[in-house]
Amino acid sequence: MIDVLIRGASVIDGSGAPPFLADIGITRERITFVGRDQGARAAQEIDAAGLLLTPGLIDPHSHSDWSILGNRDALSTVHQGVTTEIVGNCGVTYAPIAEGDEETARRALAAFGYEGEVRWHSFAELLSVVHGGGTAQNLAWFVGHTGLRRAAEREGGDLVVTMERHLQEALEAGALGFSSGLEYGAGRNAETAELEALARVAGRHGAMYASHIRNRDAALSEAVEEFFRVVHAGGLRAQLSHLNVRHRTGASDGAWAEAVSRLERERRSGVDVLADMTPYPDGIGLAAGLLPEWLLSDGEQSAADALRDPEVRERVRADSDRYWRFVHSGQWDRVRLAVSPATPEWEGLTFPEIAAANGTDEWDAYFDVIAASGADLGAVQFMGALFAPDHVAEAVGHDLFLLGVDGFTSRRDGTLGARTPHPLFFHGYQHFLSHHALRAGTLTLESAVHKMTGAVAAHFGLRDRGRVVEGAFADLVLWDQRLLRDTDTFVMPERYATAARHVWVNGTPVVTNGARTMHRPGNRLERADVT
């Protein structure tokens, strides 16, 4: 007998095909019926006339591994119909961790609502902690290059050999592959040969590479070339993370088009590579990305202490032309302080506002935040006005771009609620559908759904996900199309998103009639060749 029968829904099945009317049957964790059968019977029936049914959304570029331990119920994301997230992006994962780094990791995770201790070291142990406590959504994991490198540095010996060992262990634990973030932190110090060595390890496992590349402005072409050198070294499937150009940062007029042309050529040549784009002109970033390596070389506490010295501050001002380069030209009005454990009273303010409140200029306001952060420097985050709206639309509509939010699951209360006062976290996924598809016409609704479901599952090798077909896992969303179209996704909502009326993860309801059920049926999704 069917457990749940959804009758008369307008179905967008995740393939990119137009909608069709169908009844959908769920039995345990799978879809067992797609069609029209007036005689079918089920333990529960849902009248879906006038409603839209899609696969559960899959975020190809998420950082919810930072916040999942403080938000296992994934409140901000499951209310938007997100049932699976690809995490561990941009090189930053909190495993592997070397002996002695537990407290640094604990403080960083505390900024995202985690109140426990860090008692894991290996990547496998982190996965056990996360999934042993249950999650609302499915998670598929990359291991971060920064984590690999920091652990190897602390352990001593041959750096690359130790990194290769940690990567091998993570791949054996089911990691999709490894990610890098080459504009900041340990990634900034990585040589191409180091990344190529890791790629060869990943290639032997049929794994993937995802990268926040080294430059997205004046040297975009060189950064894309490096990305493909690494990909070819291991013969890898790959994801070019948030391939975009920040507004007014020195990129040539044709830089993005040239980078996309390279992506298209590689794809035609047989490389299984895609890119992704974020929904808004705004995005998150790491505050440490502005700082020069000579300041960071002795560690985060040392860098924070050094910035109490006026002479050091002057030297950093003169050596700041990196990462969010518009800051170097004085455009601090584009930057808000998003996460700052040491100065939470300034979170949500722009740097001109912080400076005015403290009688300083914007650079000194920034240095004050960093100096106060101490060993938590790496946890300080920005929210910035990064992209021109037409650039966002062009990338969102491109056939080779998946649609990801580049954020993390949040909630309205507690530590996370205080640190995420932006619609990115509460409307970002829905914004692709509500704004780009239904209002602006950037792409069709069925194309948007495909780029957030079936296309993601196929590219990342997620078995039986992302489609409304018999035999697939029952990750499903039933949408109120009027609410989906009419919701203003540019503003911070007063409550969680409401257009996703029913959401199932592996056949279990996590949202029913717009209310969170608090079930945690999410699974850890492993690389396809792991049994």
Side-chain angles (χ1 to χ4, degrees):
M1 186 178 187
I2 295 172
D3 295 329
V4 180
L5 183 62
I6 305 165
R7 285 200 179 275
S10 176
V11 178
I12 294 180
D13 67 4
S15 70
F20 58 91
L21 286 176
D23 306 328
I24 307 298
I26 301 172
T27 305
R28 293 181 292 279
E29 62 181 13
R30 299 272 185 168
I31 299 170
T32 51
F33 179 77
V34 178
R36 300 306 302 271
D37 185 351
Q38 299 304 316
R41 293 291 178 265
Q44 178 190 8
E45 291 196 12
I46 296 175
D47 182 1
L51 300 179
L52 173 68
L53 186 134
T54 72
L57 305 184
I58 306 174
D59 189 346
H61 187 97
S62 171
H63 293 286
S64 285
D65 50 309
W66 300 349
S67 63
I68 193 66
L69 289 172
N71 185 27
R72 290 183 178 275
D73 294 311
L75 291 165
S76 71
T77 44
V78 297
H79 273 287
Q80 296 179 73
V82 178
T83 59
T84 298
E85 299 181 55
I86 310 295
V87 298
N89 286 289
C90 295
V92 183
T93 52
Y94 291 101
I97 296 174
E99 295 282 350
D101 265 356
E102 300 90 346
E103 179 60 16
T104 299
R106 187 201 65 77
R107 287 196 304 266
L109 290 168
F112 297 97
Y114 179 51
E115 297 178 349
E117 296 297 319
V118 170
R119 293 191 172 93
W120 64 84
H121 294 96
S122 72
F123 193 73
E125 288 168 343
L126 170 61
L127 298 187
S128 179
V129 169
V130 171
H131 291 280
T135 63
Q137 78 281 55
N138 305 306
L139 299 175
W141 295 73
F142 283 105
V143 63
H145 165 264
T146 295
L148 297 171
R149 200 176 208 273
R150 184 176 177 101
E153 288 171 341
R154 292 295 297 265
E155 291 174 20
D158 186 292
L159 178 68
V160 173
V161 169
T162 306
M163 291 173 66
E164 289 175 332
R165 174 174 57 81
H166 282 300
L167 175 56
Q168 175 80 23
E169 291 171 355
L171 294 172
E172 290 172 354
L176 296 175
F178 76 104
S179 71
S180 64
L182 304 179
E183 274 195 300
Y184 43 72
R188 193 190 292 172
N189 301 325
E191 296 183 358
T192 306
E194 170 186 321
L195 299 169
E196 290 174 321
L198 295 174
R200 286 188 282 273
V201 174
R204 291 195 289 271
H205 289 263
M208 295 186 72
Y209 176 56
S211 183
H212 173 136
I213 57 177
R214 207 175 292 271
N215 186 286
R216 285 182 285 156
D217 41 65
L220 177 63
S221 178
E222 293 88 338
V224 171
E225 172 63 29
E226 179 186 41
F227 171 79
F228 282 111
R229 278 187 59 185
V230 176
V231 170
H232 287 298
L236 303 177
R237 289 181 296 126
Q239 187 68 15
L240 211 172
S241 301
H242 38 57
L243 175 57
N244 46 48
V245 174
R246 301 186 189 105
H247 187 45
R248 292 188 291 173
T249 55
S252 64
D253 289 342
W256 185 79
E258 181 182 337
V260 172
S261 179
R262 175 67 184 276
L263 178 73
E264 293 167 342
R265 292 196 304 273
E266 292 283 349
R267 181 88 181 174
R268 287 194 299 270
S269 75
V271 178
D272 188 355
V273 60
L274 293 173
D276 51 73
M277 185 57 187
T278 51
Y280 294 103
D282 298 349
I284 61 173
L286 298 178
L290 299 180
L291 298 175
E293 184 55 35
W294 57 261
L295 181 68
L296 294 167
S297 59
D298 290 331
E300 294 172 341
Q301 182 69 60
S302 176
D305 291 343
L307 281 171
R308 299 184 185 280
D309 184 335
E311 292 185 2
V312 173
R313 291 187 175 201
E314 286 303 312
R315 187 180 171 193
V316 173
R317 284 181 189 241
D319 187 5
S320 62
D321 191 9
R322 64 181 59 80
Y323 195 42
W324 288 12
R325 284 183 156 83
F326 53 84
V327 170
H328 181 72
S329 62
Q331 299 174 54
W332 278 105
D333 57 302
R334 293 170 60 178
V335 186
R336 291 183 183 274
L337 183 61
V339 177
S340 179
T343 57
E345 67 276 14
W346 296 342
E347 291 174 345
L349 300 179
T350 66
F351 274 87
E353 290 171 334
I354 297 170
N358 291 278
T360 65
D361 69 4
E362 290 88 347
W363 274 108
D364 277 321
Y366 167 64
F367 294 143
D368 289 343
V369 168
I370 297 299
S373 70
D376 294 331
L377 190 158
V380 180
Q381 289 197 2
F382 291 156
M383 176 66 72
L386 303 181
F387 314 115
D390 58 346
H391 175 47
V392 174
E394 187 174 11
V396 166
H398 194 283
D399 289 345
L400 297 187
F401 280 65
L402 303 175
L403 306 181
V405 168
D406 192 16
F408 47 86
T409 189
S410 187
R411 53 190 302 146
R412 296 198 59 85
D413 58 350
T415 299
L416 279 169
R419 288 181 169 148
T420 53
H422 191 281
L424 176 78
F425 301 95
F426 298 92
H427 276 160
Y429 305 91
Q430 187 178 327
H431 189 74
F432 286 119
L433 306 176
S434 298
H435 172 73
H436 287 292
L438 293 176
R439 292 198 294 271
T442 306
L443 69 177
T444 65
L445 186 58
E446 52 265 35
S447 177
V449 170
H450 174 60
K451 285 151 69 80
M452 301 174 78
T453 58
V456 187
H459 185 54
F460 288 91
L462 307 181
R463 290 196 191 102
D464 298 334
R465 307 277 173 182
R467 294 286 305 279
V468 182
V469 293
E470 292 180 8
F473 286 98
D475 297 341
L476 298 169
V477 187
L478 199 55
W479 303 88
D480 182 316
Q481 295 183 75
R482 181 188 61 81
L483 288 174
L484 192 61
R485 179 183 297 275
D486 293 346
T487 301
D488 184 352
T489 51
F490 281 100
V491 301
M492 180 69 181
E494 295 182 358
R495 52 180 176 164
Y496 295 111
T498 58
R501 304 307 298 162
H502 298 268
V503 182
W504 292 267
V505 175
N506 299 312
T508 297
V510 294
V511 174
T512 299
N513 292 318
R516 180 73 175 88
T517 67
M518 297 305 171
H519 295 307
R520 295 175 179 173
N523 288 332
R524 174 166 64 93
L525 306 185
E526 297 182 336
R527 202 174 63 259
D529 67 327
V530 176
T531 58

